[in-house]
Amino acid sequence: MASVKPEYNLAHTLLRRAELNPERDALEFEGRVWTYGEFSERVRKAATVLKEKGVCRGDRVGFLGLNQPSFLETIFAANTIGAIFVPLNFRLTAEELGFIINDAGIHTLVVDEMLQPVVEGARDSLCCRNFLSVSQSAESWVNFDECINDAVVIDEMVTVSEDDICLIMYTSGTTGLPKGAMLSHGNIMWNNINSQLAFGGSRDDVLLTVAPLFHIGGLNVLSLQNFSIGSKLVLMRAFDPEAVLNAISEKSVTHMFGAPAMFQFMMQHPNFEKTNFESVSTFICGAAPPPESLLTTYAERGVPFCQGYGLTETSPFGTFLTPEWSISKLGSAGQAPMHTYVRVVNDDNKPVAANERGEICIMGANVMKGYWNRPEATASAIDDEGWFHSGDVGYLDDDGFLYICDRLKDMVISGGENVYPAEVESVLFKHEKIAEVAVIGLEDEKWGEAVTAVVALHEGQDLTLDELRSFAENQLAKYKLPLRLHIVDELPRNPAGKVLKFKLKEELA
């Protein structure tokens, strides 16, 4: 008997599951349900469309839009023909999107109707060869949905290796320019194996996705592994606390991933008390540490939480805090999963003792290949031994549980979204009234952290928060705009001239 080699292509998880269980429900969206057989056929037709549009192995295919089945159709179709998928943040401005699209060299861009005007504003400067519309087509746009309906089913899937790139997911950097994390088919597979070993998975599960799919948490905490397990994914276009609470009761949801702010908004909604949580096995919380009050409130309703720490570059899981430890190890980010390792190192890249602070490093088959077209950034992030340096400061306790203390990169996490101060500062500094500016994150009950601009003005000037936000709103995504403004005489600096942000945080906290 001929040996059968393992198949790493992400598309295989859906296509093979459709061969095994075509009759099972795969996806539900806004009242419509697709079985695995039906959804697989859509994906195979979409792959034919991309191929006929000239997409070849290794080409990049982008998607810009809110959560919808077309997002998943596009990623699986692109991978079916060996192409690389690039999810785009629909909250970005045309200028921000243009940089990413051209940096990735996107061959074919799929856009939903709502986002077409954003792309139109920058279309002449984009490198894309094809512009496909999910539904309604304006002039010079091709209707992707109609093309899929008219296409034939592609017969074969391209075989890829574990190290071949599956998707490029952009994450902002401290320089202010986004970097594309190259996640391989193996990265996605091993991350999903880790998560299944940590909090299980059954074909009878009902997984609810409300976090944006362009985000690694929304895409690869639950959504993609749904198709390998053979369970049902209930997809919502965007997060709405009332709609989520209704779905949990009506759809018998077993698992959901979200940022703490999402669970907080649900908890504060009037319908929270009458929501039926009996079907819930686990809620998975990530993107920021959840407050104790949130965990205890849900625990009183019988809802356990699995917390996680990770990054886009680690696909994303670096550690898990499973429900049995959520209270006794409160504040911890948990332990490394089965096939991943975590250590904390000093400035010489040497492991430190338990309870000693240092930089958190992660190693495993879930760690990215590197940054797209950024060899120097890759070399600085992944050392010669293969450890990924997170830029986060933390420590491991005596039991090996990780605690996060600070961020080397000064990143602000607001509502589960990463905001990098250097990017915001570069925009705000252009304001004619501002002499110097520093952006920090201050604790906020609603958003976790509030993006806060600390500015020194030119002599004789004054500035309001509304004026500052209005100035920056066409250059920055809404979640990056300052929520608070503090005006100071001058920014504190060290002898080398570097702004001492920790002093600002201490003074303004």
Side-chain angles (χ1 to χ4, degrees):
M1 181 177 177
S3 61
V4 178
K5 295 182 179 179
E7 180 53 71
Y8 294 103
N9 195 327
L10 172 64
H12 179 259
T13 61
L14 168 65
L15 303 183
R16 177 61 173 158
R17 179 55 62 190
E19 291 177 357
L20 296 173
N21 305 110
E23 77 292 343
R24 292 186 65 85
D25 288 346
L27 177 65
E28 179 173 344
F29 179 74
E30 296 183 348
R32 183 174 178 183
V33 178
W34 290 263
T35 66
Y36 275 91
E38 292 167 340
F39 193 59
S40 173
E41 181 175 316
R42 288 277 302 175
V43 166
R44 288 183 181 273
K45 288 185 174 183
T48 296
V49 174
L50 295 179
K51 190 172 183 178
E52 290 177 347
K53 295 294 180 184
V55 178
C56 299
R57 180 175 184 145
D59 285 341
R60 275 73 66 202
V61 176
F63 186 94
L64 176 64
L66 277 68
N67 289 358
Q68 56 199 286
S70 294
F71 184 108
L72 297 168
E73 289 172 358
T74 304
I75 184 173
F76 285 125
N79 288 165
T80 296
I81 60 175
I84 298 167
F85 182 69
V86 185
L88 298 168
N89 184 339
F90 56 75
R91 295 170 178 158
L92 300 181
T93 64
E95 182 179 350
E96 292 168 318
L97 287 169
F99 172 82
I100 294 173
I101 289 168
N102 290 331
D103 185 71
I106 290 178
H107 178 287
T108 295
L109 180 62
V110 182
V111 184
D112 74 13
E113 183 181 5
M114 191 183 81
L115 275 298
Q116 281 180 222
V118 179
V119 175
E120 284 290 352
R123 181 163 171 167
D124 291 343
S125 64
L126 301 180
C127 64
C128 309
R129 299 185 187 182
N130 300 306
F131 294 87
L132 308 182
S133 171
V134 168
S135 52
Q136 299 295 324
S137 292
E139 188 176 352
S140 74
W141 287 76
V142 176
N143 191 308
F144 192 34
D145 196 55
E146 289 181 358
C147 291
I148 293 173
N149 291 336
D150 296 337
V152 297
V153 172
I154 201 166
D155 291 330
E156 295 183 357
M157 177 187 67
V158 170
T159 297
V160 301
S161 75
E162 186 175 4
D163 292 328
D164 283 335
I165 303 171
C166 175
L167 68 149
I168 301 173
M169 187 164 279
Y170 276 78
T171 177
S172 296
T174 52
T175 62
L177 291 176
K179 300 190 296 291
M182 299 183 290
L183 302 181
S184 70
H185 291 268
N187 290 156
I188 302 299
M189 181 186 74
W190 284 106
N191 176 83
N192 290 343
I193 291 173
N194 273 338
S195 60
Q196 288 174 33
L197 290 174
F199 51 82
S202 162
R203 289 196 302 169
D204 295 326
D205 288 341
V206 178
L207 314 182
L208 178 61
T209 291
V210 297
L213 287 170
F214 69 74
H215 193 288
I216 189 65
L219 181 63
N220 206 36
V221 171
L222 289 175
S223 302
L224 290 182
Q225 68 169 290
N226 172 80
F227 299 97
S228 61
I229 295 172
S231 50
K232 179 181 179 179
L233 180 68
V234 176
L235 182 65
M236 294 181 62
R237 194 176 294 269
F239 173 75
D240 175 82
E242 183 174 0
V244 170
L245 291 171
N246 289 339
I248 289 169
S249 296
E250 296 169 5
K251 311 296 182 184
S252 298
V253 169
T254 60
H255 297 76
M256 170 186 158
F257 166 80
M262 293 180 178
F263 294 111
Q264 190 87 17
F265 293 146
M266 291 161 55
M267 188 174 74
Q268 294 167 352
H269 194 277
N271 290 354
F272 179 78
E273 292 301 327
K274 62 182 181 182
T275 299
N276 185 349
F277 291 103
E278 290 182 1
S279 63
V280 177
S281 297
T282 308
F283 281 164
I284 299 98
C285 188
E292 180 179 0
S293 60
L294 186 149
L295 298 175
T296 54
T297 298
Y298 277 92
E300 291 170 358
R301 298 300 311 277
V303 179
F305 268 83
C306 178
Q307 301 168 56
Y309 163 75
L311 307 94
T312 301
E313 291 90 341
T314 57
S315 309
F317 282 120
T319 62
F320 290 113
L321 187 69
T322 47
E324 69 267 29
W325 301 105
S326 60
I327 301 300
S328 62
K329 291 290 186 179
L330 185 68
S332 171
Q335 299 169 299
M338 179 68 73
H339 299 290
T340 298
Y341 302 89
V342 171
R343 72 179 186 182
V344 177
V345 301
N346 58 22
D347 291 341
D348 296 322
N349 201 22
K350 302 297 183 184
V352 299
N355 300 303
E356 184 177 337
R357 297 186 179 192
E359 183 177 14
I360 301 164
C361 297
I362 302 167
M363 178 189 282
N366 58 308
V367 173
M368 68 170 183
K369 287 172 64 73
Y371 295 111
W372 178 259
N373 291 333
R374 301 286 196 281
E376 293 181 359
T378 300
S380 65
I382 303 176
D383 65 28
D384 293 339
E385 297 177 5
W387 288 95
F388 170 74
H389 289 247
S390 69
D392 292 328
V393 176
Y395 65 90
L396 294 167
D397 70 8
D398 293 327
D399 300 317
F401 284 77
L402 179 68
Y403 289 77
I404 314 296
C405 302
D406 205 348
R407 303 179 184 92
L408 294 178
K409 301 173 183 176
D410 289 330
M411 182 175 68
V412 180
I413 302 180
S414 182
E417 289 288 349
N418 294 347
V419 180
Y420 290 82
E423 180 184 12
V424 182
E425 289 163 359
S426 67
V427 171
L428 301 186
F429 191 73
K430 298 174 186 176
H431 197 289
E432 60 182 9
K433 295 183 179 181
I434 292 178
E436 55 180 350
V437 58
V439 171
I440 60 175
L442 293 180
E443 186 174 349
D444 185 85
E445 184 175 349
K446 181 177 181 181
W447 299 108
E449 286 185 315
V451 179
T452 304
V454 185
V455 304
L457 301 176
H458 291 295
E459 187 175 353
Q461 300 292 335
D462 55 29
L463 183 67
T464 66
L465 177 61
D466 287 342
E467 182 182 352
L468 187 63
R469 286 173 61 89
S470 178
F471 170 80
E473 65 183 359
N474 292 325
Q475 303 171 72
L476 294 169
K478 188 175 181 180
Y479 69 87
K480 300 177 185 177
L481 297 174
L483 293 171
R484 302 179 190 173
L485 171 64
H486 291 274
I487 297 175
V488 297
D489 292 333
E490 62 181 8
L491 298 178
R493 298 178 183 271
N494 66 14
K498 184 177 179 181
V499 176
L500 300 175
K501 292 189 175 181
F502 73 90
K503 282 197 172 183
L504 292 175
K505 289 185 177 182
E506 289 174 356
E507 293 169 3
L508 300 174

